[in-house]
């Protein structure tokens, strides 16, 4: 029993070491190599931005709109007991920008994008396309990973801003139409409650989540074993690992922002 536990610990530490090296190489090809005459593949990055960001807007908008409605309804239900129902707008806006919008947007993209990265690159590994790149002296990380990494870093914060706006809009509709808060009062309470650090803290979280999704999704593709079956298994592990890592990172950064900001 202990030998099995030890082997799992060793495997876990091996993955941590490997993904750390993977992240280091990605950052090197993103930030250092362009100054050494190795240009970034901006066209490939733009294509990935469309896949990662533009095509995710409908589902992110739907989720954030519904979450905005739910937040206002739930907070209004409690605040009504204290005669402070108008503060539902303030609570919903702060909860959205600091927590719900970045977290739920990252979860949506973890399910949609992390799986796509692992399946696509894992299939390339199984069919030896990545080996062909290495034979041609082309770095697979520079050619395949960096464009996806750049796309995630740019598009996830952008999607988070969209989620903030649409979530607040959803709360506004239900707050004014269903709960009966005056429109001008709802808008004023929202503006008064939000400060720049609320929005920035959410964007910082979204940037960290973007790194997690890109690195886990791409790394799991590069360790695929066992053909098509291995691709499916690695894709499942990629999504689960991304979700767990996002939630843990969210907990850590929420504590940091609460203590120091």
């Amino acid at each position: 029993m202990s030998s099995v536990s030890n082997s799992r610990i060793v495997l876990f530490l091996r993955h941590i070491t490997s993904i750390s090296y993977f992240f280091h190489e990605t950052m090197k090809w993103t930030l250092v190599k362009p100054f050494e005459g190795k240009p970034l593949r901006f066209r490939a990055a733009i294509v990935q931005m469309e896949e990662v960001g533009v095509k995710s807007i409908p589902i992110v908008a739907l989720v954030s709109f519904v979450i905005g409605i739910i937040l206002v309804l739930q907070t209004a239900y409690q605040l009504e007991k204290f005669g402070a129902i108008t503060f539902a707008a303030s609570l919903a806006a702060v909860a959205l920008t600091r927590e719900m919008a970045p977290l739920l947007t990252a979860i949506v993209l973890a399910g949609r994008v992390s799986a796509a990265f692992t399946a696509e690159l894992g299939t390339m590994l199984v069919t030896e396309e990545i080996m062909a790149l290495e034979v041609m002296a082309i770095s697979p990380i520079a050619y395949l990973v960096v464009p996806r990494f750049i796309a995630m870093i740019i598009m996830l914060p952008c999607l988070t801003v969209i989620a903030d706006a649409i979530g607040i809009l959803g709360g506004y509709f239900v707050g004014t139409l269903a709960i009966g808060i005056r429109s001008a009062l709802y808008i004023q309470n929202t503006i008064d409650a939000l400060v720049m650090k609320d929005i920035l803290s959410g964007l910082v979280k979204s940037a960290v989540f973007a790194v997690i999704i890109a690195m886990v999704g791409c790394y799991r593709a590069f360790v695929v074993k066992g053909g098509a079956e291995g691709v499916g298994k690695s894709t499942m592990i990629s999504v689960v690992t991304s979700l767990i890592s996002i939630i843990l990172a969210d907990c850590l950064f929420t504590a940091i922002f609460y203590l120091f900001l």
Side-chain angles (χ1 to χ4, degrees):
M1 188 72 177
S2 60
S3 61
V4 174
S5 300
N6 290 336
S7 64
R8 288 180 177 176
I9 293 172
V10 170
L11 181 62
F12 174 76
L13 293 176
R14 186 180 300 167
H15 279 303
I16 293 295
T17 304
S18 298
I19 201 168
S20 299
Y21 174 76
F22 193 78
F23 176 67
H24 173 267
E25 287 295 303
T26 302
M27 295 303 295
K28 182 176 73 175
W29 281 100
T30 304
L31 301 176
V32 178
K33 290 295 185 179
F35 296 100
E36 298 177 356
K38 305 289 186 180
L40 296 172
R41 299 180 63 232
F42 282 113
R43 290 186 179 179
I46 291 171
V47 171
Q48 291 300 323
M49 286 180 199
E50 181 181 2
E51 291 293 326
V52 168
V54 176
K55 293 184 178 180
S56 298
I57 289 176
I59 186 171
V60 169
L62 175 62
V63 170
S64 58
F65 189 82
V66 173
I67 290 299
I69 291 173
I70 292 170
L71 281 174
V72 170
L73 288 174
Q74 294 289 5
T75 53
Y77 172 74
Q78 292 296 323
L79 291 172
E80 190 176 13
K81 300 175 183 178
F82 304 98
I85 195 171
T86 57
F87 288 101
S90 306
L91 291 174
V94 172
L96 273 167
T97 53
R98 290 182 69 95
E99 185 67 29
M100 300 305 294
L103 179 61
L104 289 174
T105 303
I107 288 175
V108 168
L109 262 68
R112 182 180 181 274
V113 176
S114 185
F117 284 176
T118 304
E120 183 179 355
L121 298 183
T123 302
M124 293 179 69
L125 181 72
V126 169
T127 57
E128 300 183 349
E129 292 179 54
I130 291 179
M131 184 183 295
L133 290 175
E134 294 173 342
V135 169
M136 293 186 291
I138 298 173
S139 169
I141 291 179
Y143 193 83
L144 299 172
V145 177
V146 170
R148 289 167 170 80
F149 178 76
I150 293 173
M152 281 300 305
I153 288 291
I154 293 175
M155 295 310 298
L156 187 51
C158 293
L159 288 171
T160 300
V161 172
I162 294 173
D164 288 340
I166 294 179
I168 291 173
L169 184 63
Y172 169 80
F173 279 128
V174 75
T176 55
L177 298 178
I179 297 174
I181 304 173
R182 288 189 295 109
S183 176
L185 181 60
Y186 190 100
I187 294 171
Q188 189 60 49
N189 283 349
T190 300
I191 294 173
D192 291 342
L194 286 178
V195 294
M196 186 56 66
K197 74 175 183 180
D198 295 329
I199 299 171
L200 291 179
S201 63
L203 293 179
V204 170
K205 286 183 180 181
S206 67
V208 174
F209 298 158
V211 173
I212 291 172
I213 293 170
M215 288 297 94
V216 172
C218 294
Y219 170 73
R220 288 305 313 180
F222 278 70
V223 295
V224 167
K225 294 180 181 178
E229 182 180 352
V231 173
K233 182 179 179 181
S234 198
T235 300
M236 177 194 67
I237 295 173
S238 171
V239 174
V240 173
T241 305
S242 295
L243 292 175
I244 293 174
S245 301
I246 286 168
I247 292 170
L248 292 176
D250 180 63
C251 180
L252 174 63
F253 277 87
T254 298
I256 291 173
F257 292 147
Y258 177 77
L259 293 173
F260 299 106
L261 292 180

